[in-house]
Amino acid sequence: MRRATGVLGVALGLALVLSSCGDGKSSGGAGSGAKSEVIAIAADPLDYINPLNENGSPGIQVAQAVFAPLVATDPNTGKTVNVMAESVTPDKTSQTWTIKLKSGNTFQNGQALTAKDYVDSWNLTAQGSTAWKNNGFFSKVEGYDAMNPPTPDGATPKPTSVKTLSGLKQIDDLTFSVKLKVPFSQFGLTLQYLGLAPLPEEVRKNPDAYKRKPIGNGAFKLDGAWNPGDDIKLVKWDGYKGPNAPEADAITFRFIPNADTAYNEFLAGNVDFVDVPPTKIKTFKTDAPDGWVTATSSGANYLTMPAWDPRYKNPKLRHAFSMAIDRKAFADLVGLATPSNGLVSPDMDGYRPDACKYCTFDPTAAKQLLAEAGGFSGAVNINYNTTSATGQIFAEAIGNMLRQNLGLTVKYTGKQGSEITQLADTRKLDGLRFSGWGHDYPSIEDYLTPMFKSNGDANFSGYNNPELDKVLAQGDAEPNPEKAIKLYQQAEDIALEDMPLIPLYAKQNAYLHSAKIMPRVSKYTGVQALYSTFK
């Protein structure tokens, strides 16, 4: 999933949840009478489509249509099922995994899909100098460190002479193996992540040339030229031979930066499916009485502390901030939300409702902790996303709690979400920001490794604790799932004690859909408009 957004106000990155809608108009080449739907995404338009360089929700939603994963979660049973993979087999220790592909699959340019495509695509992504967003996913693979030498925080590694992961081996045309640094019993689950999708040879040779004309292996292909700022129009690709093909003949993704505008476009009949924004939580059932669905979100939302700013380094100060927040009041403000008391989503195996010791609203204890931390120097700056109608409202709600309960001076900075993320990624962001996370595969590990491991690819706060890295590695190596969860919970306890992210709330997602479609709703995969049935 991934998966995530670094800034609250953009749809939470639930890789398993996809919204869509249709206006009944032709989406392009699907032909008269085709089943078409228009998907509204409340975010800035994409600049490129490349699942290996994408871990945000908008890009992943498009990638889900264009690319097919090795395995997926069955929406009816919750079990992992093969898609492009024929088999995924670990050795006795779960350190080396052998992946055999189904025969007869191709890319949309006609090139046969082979093991070499996975090996070469993964090697390309694992090169630190490529600076693709899913580089960190390969940190568990043997040979990763040689391709990613130590680099100052926030900087891109320089090119190295090593261009391949020593743990990645092509065995034959349809088979390859992955040797991990240490055993990792969850690795088979991770293969449903679209950040591991293969790229065909011609794209690998010149990725920039194909950034706006992707060649996938999924159920849909690009329908005509796509220019920045345009809708992304897709049409069913007849060459897709995988399971679970969507019913739609054509899909249009329409990017509307303001979530309220996207909502109004639905009410005007211009889109078929839209995410309900926080401002409409109390009215959506009456706005569209015959066309709404809800589902528990496999996600969690946080207030992110900047580890690069020494003023925020003392854990007692972070505990003070956390205990000064009235989560119940904030969750009521967000709507369809419940206060968080841990770092993982409530629907994950291993979730504990009482995990956090510092998430109880207690202004007196918060003041004492702040005093023990030596206070705070200067004003607390809270960054918010200006493209969200509620960004400033939520920032001011948190700011007022810190001001009233801790006596702090608070200021606010509004920027576009992409700018906030860029500043945070380069460790130049001043102050706090909101963040959220949804899993790419159903494991508690997929919350802890990306956000809290020192080299996690969604380490929003720049957090680093070798003890947590050690416990995570122990959990990865534990073949017994129940014992592994216990170790991951220990890692969560360490992260909660250090508190680089302050848990805020978990949310139930709500969507509107037009009369002509019914989105698929599953307790395992959420609400998926991509797989709508047409009436």
Side-chain angles (χ1 to χ4, degrees):
M1 125 237 64
R2 254 160 193 155
R3 101 195 209 173
T5 174
V7 183
L8 190 72
V10 178
L12 183 65
L14 303 179
L16 301 176
V17 178
L18 183 63
S19 64
S20 74
C21 77
D23 57 4
K25 301 174 183 177
S26 171
S27 296
S32 177
K35 298 175 180 177
S36 64
E37 56 181 343
V38 178
I39 296 174
I41 298 179
D44 294 331
L46 294 181
D47 186 49
Y48 60 84
I49 300 172
N50 178 358
L52 294 164
N53 189 24
E54 182 61 78
N55 58 18
S57 176
I60 288 175
Q61 291 189 42
V62 176
Q64 282 181 315
V66 179
F67 293 85
L70 285 164
V71 301
T73 297
D74 186 299
N76 298 313
T77 66
K79 295 181 179 179
T80 302
V81 295
N82 293 327
V83 181
M84 291 291 108
E86 177 72 31
S87 62
V88 177
T89 309
D91 65 5
K92 291 182 179 179
T93 65
S94 295
Q95 184 167 359
T96 298
W97 293 69
T98 301
I99 301 166
K100 184 175 179 58
L101 303 177
K102 294 177 180 176
S103 62
N105 286 308
T106 69
F107 288 100
Q108 292 160 357
N109 64 353
Q111 182 205 311
L113 176 63
T114 69
K116 186 176 189 301
D117 296 306
Y118 284 94
V119 170
D120 289 357
S121 297
W122 292 10
N123 279 327
L124 183 61
T125 311
Q127 291 180 39
S129 58
T130 304
W132 282 2
K133 293 179 180 176
N134 289 316
N135 167 279
F137 184 89
F138 299 97
S139 63
K140 288 185 169 67
V141 181
E142 189 176 83
Y144 174 87
D145 294 343
M147 300 172 70
N148 294 270
T151 304
D153 194 20
T156 300
K158 295 181 179 179
T160 67
S161 59
V162 181
K163 303 297 182 186
T164 60
L165 291 162
S166 59
L168 208 52
K169 304 289 186 186
Q170 181 181 350
I171 297 173
D172 59 37
D173 283 351
L174 294 177
T175 311
F176 64 103
S177 64
V178 186
K179 184 177 183 181
L180 307 173
K181 294 176 183 174
V182 296
F184 180 33
S185 60
Q186 308 282 302
F187 184 71
L189 288 174
T190 73
L191 298 178
Q192 58 188 279
Y193 180 36
L194 276 170
L196 306 179
L199 300 177
E201 184 176 6
E202 67 178 276
V203 176
R204 299 195 302 270
K205 287 180 177 178
N206 189 358
D208 284 345
Y210 291 88
K211 60 191 298 184
R212 298 192 184 98
K213 45 182 181 179
I215 300 174
N217 63 327
F220 293 90
K221 64 179 181 180
L222 207 60
D223 184 17
W226 168 52
N227 299 307
D230 291 349
D231 293 346
I232 296 178
K233 296 182 177 181
L234 306 177
V235 64
K236 181 174 285 185
W237 176 51
D238 292 336
Y240 177 68
K241 299 177 181 177
N244 198 25
E247 188 177 320
D249 297 308
I251 294 176
T252 296
F253 288 96
R254 182 163 298 164
F255 292 86
I256 305 172
N258 186 292
D260 288 282
T261 302
Y263 187 87
N264 290 333
E265 284 292 292
F266 174 86
L267 296 181
N270 296 325
V271 295
D272 298 311
F273 191 97
V274 70
D275 192 349
V276 174
T279 54
K280 307 297 182 183
I281 290 300
K282 296 181 180 178
T283 63
F284 74 91
K285 292 182 180 179
T286 52
D287 288 343
D290 300 320
W292 58 267
V293 292
T294 61
T296 300
S297 168
S298 291
N301 297 272
Y302 316 95
L303 186 64
T304 302
M305 315 292 278
W308 53 89
D309 187 335
R311 297 179 301 167
Y312 295 93
K313 279 192 175 299
N314 191 321
K316 288 188 176 182
L317 179 138
R318 298 193 285 267
H319 300 160
F321 277 36
S322 178
M323 298 187 75
I325 294 172
D326 183 346
R327 286 172 176 74
K328 176 64 169 59
F330 191 71
D332 289 344
L333 177 66
V334 172
L336 288 181
T338 55
S340 288
N341 201 27
L343 295 169
V344 303
S345 175
D347 63 342
M348 287 290 101
D349 284 345
Y351 167 79
R352 295 168 295 163
D354 57 350
C356 180
K357 294 189 296 183
Y358 307 105
C359 292
T360 302
F361 178 48
D362 188 338
T364 301
K367 284 182 181 177
Q368 179 63 34
L369 285 165
L370 181 64
E372 293 174 8
F376 184 81
S377 175
V380 176
N381 185 39
I382 302 180
N383 297 277
Y384 65 89
N385 182 1
T386 53
T387 58
S388 166
T390 55
Q392 185 172 355
I393 296 172
F394 292 171
E396 290 178 350
I398 293 293
N400 286 337
M401 293 177 191
L402 298 179
R403 181 175 54 80
Q404 294 169 4
N405 299 323
L406 293 176
L408 298 172
T409 300
V410 181
K411 63 179 183 178
Y412 308 94
T413 302
K415 298 179 184 293
Q416 285 202 340
S418 56
E419 185 178 357
I420 294 174
T421 299
Q422 182 179 23
L423 287 169
D425 287 347
T426 54
R427 310 311 187 213
K428 295 177 182 176
L429 186 70
D430 172 27
L432 314 179
R433 63 168 173 152
F434 296 101
S435 60
W437 188 254
H439 65 257
D440 301 310
Y441 46 91
S443 170
I444 181 177
E445 181 271 335
D446 192 39
Y447 286 80
L448 299 168
T449 296
M451 293 190 289
F452 302 102
K453 190 176 179 180
S454 57
N455 62 351
D457 56 11
N459 190 333
F460 301 130
S461 66
Y463 172 66
N464 184 342
N465 186 334
E467 179 61 24
L468 181 140
D469 289 353
K470 178 182 176 182
V471 176
L472 274 180
Q474 292 172 346
D476 293 347
E478 174 55 57
N480 182 297
E482 293 182 359
K483 292 181 179 178
I485 284 176
K486 293 291 185 185
L487 289 163
Y488 292 135
Q489 289 173 337
Q490 290 182 28
E492 183 186 14
D493 288 341
I494 294 172
L496 284 168
E497 194 65 35
D498 291 340
M499 201 163 267
L501 305 183
I502 294 176
L504 289 179
Y505 64 91
K507 188 173 178 294
Q508 189 177 43
N509 288 328
Y511 307 87
L512 303 185
H513 63 87
S514 67
K516 74 176 186 182
I517 63 169
M518 183 60 207
R520 185 168 74 188
V521 181
S522 162
K523 71 175 184 179
Y524 302 110
T525 57
V527 178
Q528 295 179 292
L530 177 64
Y531 295 99
S532 291
T533 54
F534 284 72
K535 301 175 182 176

